[in-house]
Amino acid sequence: AQKITQTQPGMFVQEKEAVTLDCTYDTSDQSYGLFWYKQPSSGEMIFLIYQGSYDEQNATEGRYSLNFQKARKSANLVISASQLGDSAMYFCAMREYYGNNRLAFGKGNQVVVIP
Amino acid sequence: GAVVSQHPSWVICKSGTSVKIECRSLDFQATTMFWYRQFPKQSLMLMATSNEGSKATYEQGVEKDKFLINHASLTLSTLTVTSAHPEDSSFYICSANGAANPYGYTFGSGTRLTVV
């Protein structure tokens, strides 16, 4: 069963605007972690932001913020003031602590920032 | 910060040959290494998990005799694609889990394998 769902099609975003990438997850564990990674065309995986299941406040890292709604099992990424360098694939991932600490990835969102 | 060096970054090999991909943690001890493969425009699919000094745990559907994983030390894990075929062409990327990583994971830069 798919644990991480990212269903948005490819997105075009105007430079300097904000963009929200949706992510929903499925788990029966109480303890888990949620991650967002950026993957540019070079292929490297760049860590953006982390949210623990027990964290009461939404995580923020510079222009990235995570809108964590635990009851709805969603962990949307918000990128503010988009830059051309933000064009990439974005993956949501979940770590279940009882699953050998492995990460399960969603299918990803393609974002293209246009000037 | 924690760095994982993965090489080669790309490799082209003939069908039937074997290819070895290395992931080396440069400044921390990688107690666990995860190996993923990624087809174009798709997600990362976990192939196997290896812990230093023990046999790798393979995900369902991954042939352990074809994808040999060795994690002989806390700083080196290798993936060998044996008797490669064109359908093995993919992007392979490792991820190390160790105490030094913020939030737990450091990815290598990936290896693009093309089998001709």
Side-chain angles (χ1 to χ4, degrees), chain B residues 6 22 72 103-104 115-116:
Chain B
Q6 181 173 348
E22 287 191 355
Y103 310 119
V115 185
V116 298

Side-chain angles (χ1 to χ4, degrees), chain A residues 58-92:
Chain A
N58 287 341
T60 60
E61 289 283 352
R63 294 189 298 112
Y64 305 106
S65 60
L66 199 150
N67 184 358
F68 181 46
Q69 298 189 37
K70 194 170 181 177
R72 296 178 60 186
K73 293 188 176 178
S74 75
N76 299 339
L77 176 70
V78 180
I79 306 173
S80 62
S82 296
Q83 302 172 357
L84 296 179
D86 293 335
S87 296
M89 281 289 288
Y90 289 81
F91 290 97
C92 180

Side-chain angles (χ1 to χ4, degrees), chain B residues 24-97:
Chain B
R24 195 178 296 272
S25 56
L26 299 185
D27 48 4
F28 69 100
Q29 293 182 330
T31 50
T32 305
M33 192 72 77
F34 302 93
W35 287 93
Y36 296 87
R37 69 186 297 181
Q38 184 182 30
F39 292 109
K41 301 194 184 302
Q42 294 191 24
S43 186
L44 279 73
M45 299 301 298
L46 182 65
M47 299 175 66
T49 302
S50 72
N51 294 296
E52 182 263 339
S54 60
K55 288 184 178 180
T57 302
Y58 289 81
E59 295 299 302
Q60 194 171 11
V62 177
E63 300 175 58
K64 60 180 68 176
D65 294 332
K66 181 167 187 61
F67 299 100
L68 300 178
I69 291 171
N70 185 284
H71 194 164
S73 77
L74 285 171
T75 58
L76 177 64
S77 179
T78 60
L79 166 67
T80 301
V81 183
T82 62
S83 187
H85 289 99
E87 56 266 30
D88 299 325
S89 298
S90 188
F91 186 69
Y92 294 86
I93 191 165
C94 63
S95 172
N97 194 215

